[in-house]
Amino acid sequence: MTRPAVPAFAARPVAAVAVLVGVVLTALSGRYGYHRDELYFMVAGRHLGWGYVDQPPLTPFIARVSTTIFGDTVMGLRVLSTLSSVATIVVVALLAREFGSARRGQVLAAVCAAVSGFVLGVGHMVSTATYDLLAWMLIALFAVKLLQTRDGRWWLALGLTAGIALENKYLVVLPIGALLVSLLIVGPRSVLRSWWVLAGLAVAGLIALPNVVWQFQHDWPQLKVAGGISADDGTENRIMFVPLQILQLSPFLVAVWVAGFRRIWRSLPWARAVALAYPVLCVAVLAVGGKSYYALPLLLVLVAAGCEPTLRWVERRRRTAVVTLVLTALSSALFTLPVLPASAADLVIPVNKEQGEQIGWPSFTDAVAAAWHQVPADQRSTATIVTGNYGEAGALVRYGPARGLPMPYSPHMSFWEWARPPDSSTGPVLLVEIERTPIFEKYFRDCNQVGTVHSIVSNDEDGTALVLCAAPAEPWSALWPKIRQYY
């Protein structure tokens, strides 16, 4: 089928918007500190493999590449994350172009993406969601091209992108699944009657195969992690799903993505499957109790489609439109970027707890060091530090050596696999626990709290208990499998 004509791409103004966001993200990237997930990714990057307990290998690999090239600092770690968000903004503008938007509509799409809280938030730090967002936008772009041209070769691009995305996060199966269901409901079903579909699936499967094999060899730990998330947070996730869909992208952009859905449904019948994929995806996420941001990327696709009708409103109310975009940018930056002093972050943590997870890790390590030095000097050679989660362990790996701390151990996620204390470590055990847990402490003898972590903000580690035990209750080789944590 002959490709319909599309407007010229507004490369310069779109690039200017994307670069401006890159500059802002770079300027603010070192303001607070590492996020707990970043501390974990950096340690994971030292244990490169085809998989980890809780994720595929791509994000830890990117973390290692970024720090190797740009420096082992907070800013160096986040360079590739920033570039990923810059690319995401460009792809959103390209989507607007595919939906028929000319220069101004493409620029508006880039601006809307640039000021959205979700794009700024995932672009500020390294997370699996950062690269997942770019992959979803590319999949949407290739899907739109497929539907517009009926050229089955786009399935190869979809398969290639999906395969790479599967090496980052398994969530990519959700938008593809939602798109396939939507195609069966509203068509055009003809794009499914092609050998190119099988070719795309083969490409995706081939790229994802090494991690699938790793998961198989390790008894599918990712399923245990996913089950824990759903069991612990499923109800809350369902209750907060709709409010967070609005807040995390931006309340000011609701009218744009609603206009995008209506425009596709009424005026672009060839793309209806793309619009329907969003509510289908929402139903799937709600059913499994997934997090609200799992469906957010498809809202950006609707934003791209909604910029053309929004322009007509902008032309009549230019001053209001400018004020709205400025307010969107300011509110998004306030809640997702480290623009406030660290001591004032409590003002935004109730809306975005990830801000607090970047504050206080050096002082956390100081508190652990003070507790550690209560262990008699002649017993430290057989003493052990065990943390309750990977963020704490990652912080002690990063900041502990400068404070005279030994390498920590943790039964959480892949830390459990990387190392366990030797059976010769029969001395005191310093437990780092967000909350004291008798079920956990029963594996150790004579446990007493010797310190408390105090943070300047109300983050997860504020109030963490530092508990010193006389010894493990049994050899570590027997104890370690009993305290493993998947969530």
Side-chain angles (χ1 to χ4, degrees), residues 210-436:
N211 180 248
V212 173
V213 171
W214 188 95
Q215 285 286 324
F216 172 77
Q217 292 173 338
H218 292 76
D219 196 26
W220 304 102
Q222 180 66 47
L223 296 179
K224 298 182 177 69
V225 175
I229 292 174
S230 180
D232 282 15
D233 299 333
T235 300
E236 181 183 353
N237 290 340
R238 292 182 181 98
I239 293 172
M240 295 302 297
F241 184 83
V242 173
L244 289 178
Q245 286 286 288
I246 295 171
L247 290 173
Q248 289 176 333
L249 193 65
S250 174
F252 296 107
L253 296 179
V254 171
V256 182
W257 59 260
V258 169
F261 186 94
R262 293 182 62 184
R263 180 188 175 211
I264 292 175
W265 205 257
R266 293 180 176 181
S267 305
L268 303 173
W270 57 268
R272 283 178 179 169
V274 175
L276 185 61
Y278 172 67
V280 169
L281 177 59
C282 290
V283 170
V285 173
L286 285 168
V288 301
K291 297 179 180 180
S292 62
Y293 76 84
Y294 291 178
L296 274 177
L298 291 191
L299 275 184
L300 281 174
V301 179
L302 299 181
V303 166
C307 285
E308 193 64 25
T310 300
L311 276 176
R312 294 192 288 271
W313 181 86
V314 169
E315 289 173 352
R316 297 193 301 270
R317 302 174 180 84
R318 291 187 179 183
R319 184 174 297 180
T320 302
V322 171
V323 171
T324 299
L325 286 173
V326 170
L327 287 175
T328 304
L330 291 177
S331 60
S332 294
L334 177 66
F335 287 105
T336 62
L337 300 179
V339 295
L340 295 175
S343 58
D346 273 337
L347 294 173
V348 299
I349 287 175
V351 176
N352 179 18
K353 70 184 294 287
E354 309 307 330
Q355 293 274 53
E357 298 307 302
Q358 303 169 65
I359 297 171
W361 291 112
S363 60
F364 162 87
T365 310
D366 289 336
V368 175
W372 171 257
H373 286 100
Q374 295 185 47
V375 177
D378 61 345
Q379 298 181 32
R380 290 177 194 164
S381 62
T382 58
T384 310
I385 299 177
V386 178
T387 73
N389 64 62
Y390 62 58
E392 296 164 343
L396 297 183
V397 170
R398 182 67 178 177
Y399 299 110
R403 292 161 172 80
L405 295 177
M407 284 294 104
Y409 298 92
S410 178
H412 193 215
M413 300 301 188
S414 283
F415 263 101
W416 183 90
E417 292 194 329
W418 294 331
R420 69 166 174 81
D423 286 343
S424 58
S425 294
T426 57
V429 181
L430 179 61
L431 302 179
V432 182
E433 303 178 76
I434 286 182
E435 294 181 357
R436 293 197 65 176

Side-chain angles (χ1 to χ4, degrees), residues 32-46:
Y32 289 170
Y34 295 106
H35 187 278
R36 71 166 62 246
D37 290 351
E38 293 176 318
L39 292 166
Y40 178 49
F41 293 145
M42 289 193 297
V43 180
R46 302 177 187 176

Side-chain angles (χ1 to χ4, degrees), residues 93 109 119 136 144 167 193 232 265 352 389 417 439 441 460:
V119 173
W136 282 41
V144 169
E167 292 289 0
R193 295 191 292 268
D232 282 15
W265 205 257
N352 179 18
N389 64 62
E417 292 194 329
I439 296 176
E441 291 181 13
D460 282 352

Side-chain angles (χ1 to χ4, degrees), residues 172-206:
V172 72
V173 301
L174 292 178
I176 294 176
L179 178 62
L180 292 175
V181 170
S182 300
L183 283 171
L184 291 173
I185 295 172
V186 297
R189 299 182 187 88
S190 60
V191 299
L192 299 173
R193 295 191 292 268
S194 168
W195 286 104
W196 289 110
V197 178
L198 297 178
L201 289 172
V203 170
L206 187 63

Side-chain angles (χ1 to χ4, degrees), residues 34-170:
Y34 295 106
H35 187 278
R36 71 166 62 246
D37 290 351
E38 293 176 318
L39 292 166
Y40 178 49
F41 293 145
M42 289 193 297
V43 180
R46 302 177 187 176
H47 298 83
L48 290 177
W50 282 113
Y52 302 91
V53 167
D54 52 335
Q55 64 191 319
L58 187 57
T59 296
F61 175 73
I62 291 174
R64 178 161 177 177
V65 169
S66 195
T67 52
T68 299
I69 297 176
F70 301 107
D72 192 10
T73 63
V74 179
M75 294 183 69
L77 173 68
R78 293 173 172 171
V79 171
L80 294 183
S81 178
T82 296
L83 293 176
S84 180
S85 287
V86 168
T88 295
I89 292 168
V90 174
V91 176
V92 172
L94 287 170
L95 274 165
R97 173 176 178 255
E98 294 297 324
F99 286 126
S101 290
R103 182 184 181 88
R104 290 187 305 160
Q106 296 169 30
V107 175
L108 180 60
V111 171
C112 287
V115 301
S116 69
F118 187 56
V119 173
L120 292 177
V122 301
H124 167 61
M125 61 188 188
V126 176
S127 70
T128 53
T130 306
Y131 309 109
D132 213 37
L133 175 59
L134 176 57
W136 282 41
M137 291 299 97
L138 287 170
I139 287 170
L141 178 63
F142 299 145
V144 169
K145 287 179 176 292
L146 170 68
L147 297 177
Q148 190 182 57
T149 65
R150 305 292 201 276
D151 186 342
R153 288 174 293 183
W154 285 110
W155 282 112
L156 289 178
L158 282 165
L160 176 63
T161 308
I164 296 172
L166 283 167
E167 292 289 0
N168 176 65
K169 198 165 186 167
Y170 304 124

